Amino acid sequence: MAAQSRSPPLLLLVSSVCLWSSVTVLGLKVANSPAEPPKQSDVRAVDHPDKNAPVAAAAGASQPRRASGWKLAEEAACREDLTRLCPKQTWSNNLAVLECLQDRSEETELAPDCNHLLWNYKLNLTTDPKFESVATEVCRSTIAEIKECNEEERGRGYLVSCLVDHRGNISEYQCNQYITKITSIIFSDYRLICGFMHKCKEDINSLHCGSINVGQKDTHSQGEVIACLERALVRQAEQQERVHPIKEECQKAILRVAELSSDDFHLDRHLYFACRDDRERFCQNVQAGEGKVYKCLFNHKFEEAMSEKCRDALTTRQKLISQDYRVSYSLAKACKLDLRKQRCSLDSSLPRAREARLSYLLLCLEAAVHRGRPVSGECQGEMLDFRRMLMEDFSLSPEIVLHCRTEIEAQCSGLHRKGRTLHCLMRLGRSDRSSAVDSVCQNALQTLIQSADPGADYRIDRALNEACESVIQTACKHIRSGDPMILSCLMEHLYTEKMVGDCEHRLLELQYFISRDWKLDPILYRKCQGDAARLCHTLGWNETSELMPAGAIFSCLYRHAYRTEEQGRRVRPNEQLSRDCKVEVQRILHQRALDVKLDPELQKRCMTDLGKWCSDKTDTGQELECLQEHLEDLVSSCREVVGNLTELESEDIQIDALLIRACEPVIQAHCHDVADNQIDTGDLMECLVQNKHQKEMNEKCVVGVTHFQLIQMKDFRFSYKFKMACKEDVLRLCPNIKKKVDVVICLSTTVRNDTLQEVREQRVSLKCRKQLRVEELEMSEDIRLEPELYEPCKSDINRLCPNVAFGNAQMIECLKEQKKQLSQRCHQRIFKLQEVEMSDPELDYQLMRVCKQMIKRFCTEADARNVLQCLKQNKNSELMDPKCKQMITKRQITQNTDYRLNPVLRKACRADIPKFCQSILNKASEDSELEGQIIACLKLKYADQRLSPDCEDQIRVILQESALDYRLDPQLQMHCSDEISRLCAEEAAAQEQTGQVEECLKGNLLKIKQEACKKEVLNMLKESKADIFVDPVLHTACALDLKHHCAAITPGRGRQMSCLMEALQDKRIRLQPECKKRLQDRIDMWSYAAKVAPAEGFSDLAVQVMTSPSKNYILLVMALSVCVLFLVGLLCGRITKRVTRELKDR
């Protein structure tokens, strides 16, 4: 049982087992001399029973001739050195003298004879069989308490070895002092460590770590040999090709020696001598023991005042700790019970080298912490120190040194302090392909980040802590120091005014690696570990799976976070994420949206496309926007992941943190209700689009919202609300159509056809029709949202509207105003757009925007498709807004250019147009505008009183409107523009048009030179004869007379005009002077018109007669003429008949 309880490599067998042969391994033979300590038979057990009792036991060893009183201070060989180096009060105590001479300054040399004397003395001490008996007497109660030591076999040196192993548990003062002194003697020379020489003999020789000849260096300061072996062991772990591999049993011996010297830095002779001055400088008040001095020196390792030789010795020790955590006394002690509780203790099925590694311990205990299992605060404190140590010095991770050597030498040399090299490697790891680290180095970095786990406490990353201190103090001061939310807070302030450049770089470098393993975000892991295990089949925190690698788990989580429907069925609750987990997934997605490199899947699949299409996009957030803009050009794998991300953003636009940050003012002012919702489902983006031109909207927000609208055009799935409302309709009515604009056209065409055909049941569902209306309205705001319009008009935009903004439909309005100068393709598209807008005025963005308040005032009860008609009817109201009135006039001008742009007229005159104006339709091509020819044709037929009642009513309205504003008559404006400029410039320049230009043209009819213009003016006169309402000047002048004299006369077909003419001729009736004057002017104009433009046919003549003021007289004369002709014919017929009969009678 004792043998089993003993540690397998019992390396410190400080007993008689260490024979003289072990001293001569390297050819060093100890000669018999007067200075040689006495034989074993003369040893005295105890010399001083007081506080020096354990010392006296060793000091009792003396020469035969100087029995019990032999003193090192009395030997001539060391007297001079003793006098020079040691205080006089130590001379009486042999071990005090030995300690003094051992711990002298490295520059101070001892006489060779003194060196030899000390060596033989120590050797005889450690080979004396009574040495164990002293331990038995001094440590009696301690041995009884320590079960393992009490069961050791006596007489073979195992007892002292066991006491050294358990010296941390020795509470008895004298025993503790005794073992401490013995330990310092043993560790002063590797040859005194029993078994070490045997296990490491070959490695010492092959690595040239052997001792130096007496006279050149102290033979009792052979700690250099162990230091040499330790450095070789460290180098071996950092090299792929091992030139002189150290045997496994020697490796264990080296680590065991380091472990046993872990509590008191005096025991590591090389480090003690290297750091003696630094200890006094930095750790003067730190008491030796329990690894406290080591810890203090580690904390000051990168101070400027730290000597280089001490820093190197400390680094070597830290590297040994990385290989075996037990080399750290404080860590092994603090975490001993926790390792056992969490089952992190040694497993016989695993090689010791792996299990004892610091990284294994950290991962195992971190897994317990992340799972919420209890780990003592003392252990967590130690873990924090060593995690910080790993992040501070890359060289402590042999994998980094081994696999990242090339990158370090080429890019990161000279930056090893305070974690700078590690951050340099991390920066290279997230850079583009030309300078990126290879996969092996990348994996080593990822493993180190997982071991150090800086996501749990930002202070572990010293480089980040120092760079971000000012930001944390200002932006994150409300969060407790060391809280994992600090990193999240820093990410929230990335690219804001509070962020500083150095902090931004360090933060992104770290987040790049944290984003590649969901477990490295402790808050995400804590809230989602249950969901991940249930839905993504994950393993433990420090376990990996080839089927579900760490990088794929987050993708699995966010797919479940936003999945509400799948393949037509409702997703069951147990297939969805918990609320807390979904909140964390959203937080991570918000962070990843800040930089494409924080999305591992996106960067992996799109590396080539990023270099091909987006190499010049270096500003914040531009890379993802670039990929979205080139969606059709991306390789399939990249297109898929960008498409999925864009589809996700359409459901929850808050994922786009940069856009939300830019739009904060308008969200607070207009969209705070939807922004506060736990589930977005596209409402926030819809609100931003609707308020795109509010005063709170800044340029960045407008650009971001417009970009997302443009991206949505590429695939209808990118509009979440549209997708959810119309998914079934698209599959049924528009299969194989992907682009949103094509889907909208397909569905809207279906709706329009069903409406025109007045089908009983619409093919497009009600919820889809409602959302379709929203999409159509959004598309009308920016020409770029309608690719079929934008592409043909690009050159025209650059040529005619170079300085016009796209938003607010300003570009579309500019193209409408320049319609005559547009290229043929663009002109056709604009005409089609206008045709749609006139049939559905709600899609006329500018009209709806400018007249928004007037619509609310005058047209609240009007149908959406009759809004323009309603506005036209109220155009001349005193309450009408001038800007809206101007916009209405623009739309009237547009409508009158082509009957197809006036849906009410088109419907009312659908039979009259082909009947009377077919020749015009035959001459015109399908895509060309008719420039008002059809309406002009209908006007003439109105004057001839040949139109159907419905068509006549519509033409009358057009005539009334155009009589007040010449711009509403496209034929008049086209043919008379020069004459108007010459004859009626002042009237045309008037802001308010009330028919003065038409009156001017009529008054200057004789001065008009252009025949086409003269004909148009004559047509106006002809039209005015048919109805007084189409002559606003005359109607205004004669309004009272009409009321008094013609009130009973039904308006239309020239009846009221005839009434006024008869009243003018009737001497009994007195008309208003203005009315009388205007009527006389009209008669003169009509007379002139009759001379200038005689009737072209019988029908024209009949119309002139019927519309003539002397119609009754003319008709009477014509009737009398007919009667006379009839009588003459009758008379002539009788005479002819009589003559014929007389001739027959003959």
Side-chain angles (χ1 to χ4, degrees), residues 116-360:
H116 204 59
L117 174 66
L118 294 176
W119 156 248
N120 284 293
Y121 174 63
K122 288 191 294 183
L123 183 62
N124 281 347
L125 274 178
T126 57
T127 56
D128 193 334
K130 291 189 178 180
F131 199 63
E132 187 175 290
S133 64
V134 176
T136 304
E137 184 175 344
V138 175
C139 299
R140 183 178 290 110
S141 60
T142 300
I143 294 170
E145 291 172 2
I146 303 174
K147 183 179 178 182
E148 292 87 346
C149 299
N150 194 28
E151 294 174 351
E152 291 289 1
E153 185 180 351
R154 301 294 192 268
R156 299 189 61 187
Y158 291 149
L159 176 61
V160 177
S161 175
C162 180
L163 289 172
V164 171
D165 275 354
H166 293 83
R167 66 186 185 279
N169 297 326
I170 298 174
S171 57
E172 193 177 355
Y173 178 76
Q174 288 189 345
C175 181
N176 190 36
Q177 290 290 310
Y178 173 70
I179 295 300
T180 301
K181 292 294 183 182
I182 295 305
T183 306
S184 66
I185 293 172
I186 295 168
F187 277 84
S188 67
D189 196 320
Y190 74 97
R191 293 170 297 180
L192 300 180
I193 301 173
C194 188
F196 187 83
M197 275 299 303
H198 176 69
K199 290 181 170 61
C200 295
K201 171 185 174 184
E202 294 180 11
D203 297 296
I204 291 171
N205 289 326
S206 64
L207 295 167
H208 305 291
C209 294
S211 63
I212 303 171
N213 291 332
V214 176
Q216 296 180 3
K217 195 168 182 67
D218 301 347
T219 54
H220 70 276
S221 299
Q222 297 277 331
E224 289 291 340
V225 176
I226 296 177
C228 174
L229 289 171
E230 289 175 343
R231 287 193 294 268
L233 181 61
V234 167
R235 275 198 310 273
Q236 180 173 293
E238 298 171 351
Q239 292 175 351
Q240 202 158 4
E241 298 179 0
R242 299 177 179 179
V243 182
H244 298 291
I246 301 174
K247 291 188 303 183
E248 187 175 349
E249 61 177 2
C250 183
Q251 291 183 37
K252 293 178 180 179
I254 295 169
L255 289 172
R256 182 63 172 157
V257 168
E259 178 186 344
L260 292 172
S261 62
S262 62
D263 67 331
D264 190 346
F265 94 113
H266 290 90
L267 304 183
D268 188 334
R269 305 305 292 173
H270 171 71
L271 187 142
Y272 169 74
F273 284 118
C275 298
R276 187 159 49 182
D277 293 339
D278 298 284
R279 188 265 170 95
E280 293 299 319
R281 187 178 302 115
F282 297 111
C283 310
Q284 185 177 8
N285 299 322
V286 178
Q287 187 177 358
E290 298 185 348
K292 293 178 182 177
V293 176
Y294 285 126
K295 207 168 185 180
C296 174
L297 290 171
F298 288 158
N299 290 335
H300 293 87
K301 176 179 166 182
F302 288 114
E303 297 287 342
E304 293 294 332
M306 176 68 73
S307 65
E308 201 63 41
K309 61 180 180 179
C310 180
R311 186 179 291 120
D312 291 341
L314 290 171
T315 300
T316 301
R317 182 132 198 119
Q318 288 176 318
K319 290 179 179 180
L320 291 173
I321 295 173
S322 297
Q323 294 195 33
D324 190 338
Y325 71 90
R326 286 167 295 198
V327 176
S328 170
Y329 178 87
S330 57
L331 179 63
K333 180 182 177 184
C335 297
K336 183 177 180 179
L337 294 176
D338 295 291
L339 289 169
R340 192 177 302 158
K341 284 181 186 177
Q342 308 305 333
R343 299 182 181 177
C344 303
S345 54
L346 293 179
D347 186 345
S348 58
S349 64
L350 294 173
R352 180 182 189 276
R354 172 193 163 179
E355 199 175 34
R357 293 182 71 84
L358 177 64
S359 59
Y360 180 84

Side-chain angles (χ1 to χ4, degrees), residues 728-755:
E728 296 175 2
D729 300 273
V730 172
L731 292 173
R732 181 164 43 85
L733 300 169
C734 312
N736 305 321
I737 299 179
K738 189 176 181 181
K739 286 189 176 181
K740 179 181 173 182
V741 63
D742 296 333
V743 172
V744 170
I745 291 172
C746 170
L747 292 175
S748 59
T749 303
T750 304
V751 172
R752 193 171 292 115
N753 291 339
D754 288 349
T755 304

Side-chain angles (χ1 to χ4, degrees), residues 34-89:
E36 184 177 343
K39 294 181 181 179
Q40 297 172 5
S41 58
D42 296 321
V43 175
R44 195 175 158 188
V46 179
D47 195 11
H48 302 284
D50 59 358
K51 64 179 181 178
N52 291 324
V55 177
S62 60
Q63 299 182 30
R65 63 180 181 273
R66 300 180 187 177
S68 61
W70 183 82
K71 304 289 185 185
L72 274 173
E74 296 175 358
E75 294 295 331
C78 291
R79 188 173 298 141
E80 184 181 345
D81 294 313
L82 190 67
T83 306
R84 180 165 50 91
L85 299 172
C86 300
K88 196 167 184 178
Q89 62 267 26

